[in-house]
């Protein structure tokens, strides 16, 4: 007996659905134990020494300084919990996790570029990174049903990147040393040109123009205030650092956006007297030889950053006690 067209249609639809379900199951099995860089970040927070007294948090500019031995704290007692491209919303999650896990924590050094006041992951089409944090903080910038569902899938947390499977099969059993090595990655962006000046122009334009959204300034001010409240209420001292740039970055940066974000940052800092604020943007102590590119310091630049933070913190203006 021949099947009716409607039954054939239903069978075809069911077969297609079964096929897609099978593909999803296979992908989830393949990607199940593939860690993302945010997995390494949070594993680093939870596995590094309980003796950590200084936590450095921020984006690649903070990551490039490594475990900076500042404030009379030995390098071994410093943790750098930064990740490239991190915005203030997600830095807030990291700081909360650090405070919860580090009982001897005395200082949080938060690196905040001016342009971070006009930046977040959603506006720069990085929802996949937003999803990576979800399992650790149970919140995202985009809490839509679709994004929450994708955040429970490691395939989508890995941004559907099949190259991570190669690393999966190369990777030996994870341990503390592996986690630390993954966190101390190279934070320097890959450039697509050998023209140093052109690369610098592109970087400055990207950070202060292309990726900058003025409407985000108010929201990022609120987030920064939440960070300040969280840190200070935990009896931890907060140091906000604006990192330096190479001279060409200042030349090509969008002047109007830079002023808007600088004013917004200063407004928050000036209303919170208990925060030590160290602004190195335009600091003449730094020269072009202190950078590997437009905005990432080399060892000599890192050493100067260390000195500026320490000297500024211990200046009479910023001495305080809880």
């Amino acid at each position: 007996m021949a099947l009716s067209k409607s039954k054939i249609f239903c069978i075809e639809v069911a077969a297609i659905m079964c096929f897609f379900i099978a593909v999803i199951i296979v992908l989830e099995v393949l990607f199940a134990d593939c860690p993302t860089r945010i997995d390494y970040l949070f594993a680093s927070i939870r596995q590094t020494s309980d003796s950590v007294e200084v936590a450095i948090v921020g984006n690649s500019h903070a990551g490039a300084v490594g475990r900076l031995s500042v404030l009379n704290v030995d390098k071994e007692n410093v943790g750098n919990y930064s990740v490239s491209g991190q915005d203030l919303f997600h830095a807030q999650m990291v700081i909360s996790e650090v405070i919860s896990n580090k009982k001897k924590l005395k200082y949080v050094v938060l690196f905040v570029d001016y342009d971070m006041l006009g930046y977040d992951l959603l506006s720069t089409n990085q929802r996949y990174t937003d999803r990576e944090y979800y399992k650790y903080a149970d919140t995202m910038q985009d809490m839509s049903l679709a994004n929450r569902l994708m955040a429970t899938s490691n395939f989508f947390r890995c941004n559907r990147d099949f190259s991570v499977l190669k690393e999966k099969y190369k990777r030996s059993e994870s341990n503390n040393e592996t986690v630390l090595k993954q966190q101390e990655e190279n934070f320097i962006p890959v450039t697509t040109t050998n023209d140093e000046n052109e690369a610098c122009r592109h970087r400055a334009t990207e950070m202060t123009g292309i990726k900058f959204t003025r409407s985000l300034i108010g929201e990022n001010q609120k987030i920064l205030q939440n960070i300040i409240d969280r840190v200070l209420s935990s009896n931890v001292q907060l140091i906000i650092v604006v990192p330096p740039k190479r001279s060409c970055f200042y030349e090509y940066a969008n002047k109007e956006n830079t002023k808007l974000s600088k004013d917004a940052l200063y407004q928050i800092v000036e209303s919170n007297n208990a925060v030590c604020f160290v602004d190195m943007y335009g600091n003449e102590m730094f020269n072009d030889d202190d950078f590997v590119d437009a905005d990432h310091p080399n060892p000599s630049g890192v050493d100067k950053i260390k000195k500026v933070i320490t000297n500024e913190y211990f200046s009479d203006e910023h001495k305080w006690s809880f």
Side-chain angles (χ1 to χ4, degrees):
M1 183 177 179
L3 295 174
S4 64
K5 289 184 177 180
S6 60
K7 288 184 178 180
I8 292 173
F9 176 76
C10 289
I11 291 171
E12 289 175 343
V13 170
I16 292 171
M17 289 179 64
C18 288
F19 171 76
F20 279 110
I21 291 171
V23 169
I24 291 170
I25 292 172
V26 169
L27 289 174
E28 287 305 310
V29 170
L30 288 173
F31 282 83
D33 57 351
C34 290
T36 69
R37 62 195 184 126
I38 304 305
D39 292 325
Y40 282 119
L41 173 64
F42 278 84
S44 176
I45 295 171
R46 295 173 180 181
Q47 294 183 24
T48 48
S49 173
D50 289 334
S51 65
V52 167
E53 297 177 41
V54 175
I56 298 171
V57 180
N59 55 24
S60 62
H61 303 139
V65 304
R67 285 184 282 171
L68 202 65
S69 54
V70 292
L71 309 169
N72 295 336
V73 174
D74 293 336
K75 192 173 183 178
E76 292 72 24
N77 295 331
V78 175
N80 192 320
Y81 309 113
S82 305
V83 65
S84 299
Q86 186 161 247
D87 58 9
L88 287 171
F89 182 89
H90 295 89
Q92 179 179 210
M93 296 181 187
V94 172
I95 289 171
S96 182
E97 182 77 9
V98 169
I99 290 174
S100 299
N101 281 273
K102 305 302 174 190
K103 305 307 179 187
K104 294 185 179 180
L105 189 67
K106 295 179 181 178
Y107 310 95
V108 169
V109 181
L110 175 64
F111 278 63
V112 181
D113 299 271
Y114 292 158
D115 53 77
M116 285 179 69
L117 272 294
Y119 165 83
D120 71 9
L121 294 181
L122 297 193
S123 66
T124 52
N125 196 30
Q126 298 179 78
R127 274 181 170 76
Y128 71 94
T129 304
D130 189 31
R131 297 180 200 120
E132 292 179 58
Y133 289 84
Y134 187 53
K135 66 187 288 186
Y136 301 104
D138 199 30
T139 187
M140 293 182 289
Q141 285 175 300
D142 178 4
M143 286 295 285
S144 65
L145 177 60
N147 207 44
R148 277 183 285 154
L149 287 174
M150 284 190 282
T152 63
S153 162
N154 220 44
F155 174 59
F156 284 102
R157 290 181 74 247
C158 291
N159 197 28
R160 299 158 292 183
D161 183 1
F162 286 91
S163 68
V164 302
L165 294 178
K166 297 178 183 178
E167 297 302 319
K168 172 182 175 179
Y169 294 111
K170 289 179 183 177
R171 197 172 63 248
S172 58
E173 217 174 290
S174 179
N175 53 40
N176 188 49
E177 186 178 344
T178 303
V179 168
L180 285 173
K181 185 177 179 182
Q182 289 291 334
Q183 267 312 104
E184 293 177 357
E185 61 177 292
N186 183 356
F187 279 91
I188 311 306
V190 177
T191 58
T192 56
T193 175
N194 292 324
D195 187 331
E196 192 174 89
N197 189 65
E198 175 60 23
C200 187
R201 184 196 64 77
H202 179 269
R203 180 71 174 169
T205 303
E206 176 187 34
M207 302 310 297
T208 65
I210 297 171
K211 289 186 175 181
F212 191 93
T213 303
R214 295 183 182 181
S215 60
L216 294 175
I217 292 176
E219 183 60 31
N220 278 322
Q221 281 184 304
K222 293 177 184 176
I223 294 170
L224 185 55
Q225 184 62 59
N226 289 339
I227 292 173
I228 292 170
D229 294 341
R230 176 73 172 96
V231 175
L232 298 184
S233 66
S234 302
N235 204 32
V236 174
Q237 298 184 2
L238 177 63
I239 302 168
I240 295 177
V241 175
V242 180
K245 316 287 184 186
R246 184 174 272 177
S247 59
C248 59
F249 189 99
Y250 302 135
E251 178 184 352
Y252 293 117
N254 183 300
K255 302 299 186 290
E256 190 172 349
N257 286 342
T258 298
K259 185 179 186 307
L260 283 171
S261 49
K262 177 182 179 179
D263 290 346
L265 177 58
Y266 270 72
Q267 183 181 7
I268 291 294
V269 170
E270 289 170 358
S271 62
N272 292 274
N273 294 329
V275 174
C276 180
F277 182 54
V278 184
D279 189 351
M280 301 183 210
Y281 193 93
N283 190 316
E284 294 181 357
M285 174 186 290
F286 297 88
N287 55 60
D288 289 353
D289 292 335
D290 294 320
F291 300 89
V292 295
D293 62 3
D295 50 353
H296 293 86
N298 59 22
S300 69
V302 170
D303 189 55
K304 288 182 181 180
I305 288 173
K306 170 185 172 180
K307 290 177 181 176
V308 173
I309 293 175
T310 301
N311 292 340
E312 186 70 17
Y313 180 81
F314 287 112
S315 68
D316 290 335
E317 183 181 352
H318 290 115
K319 284 182 179 175
W320 68 83
S321 61
F322 282 85

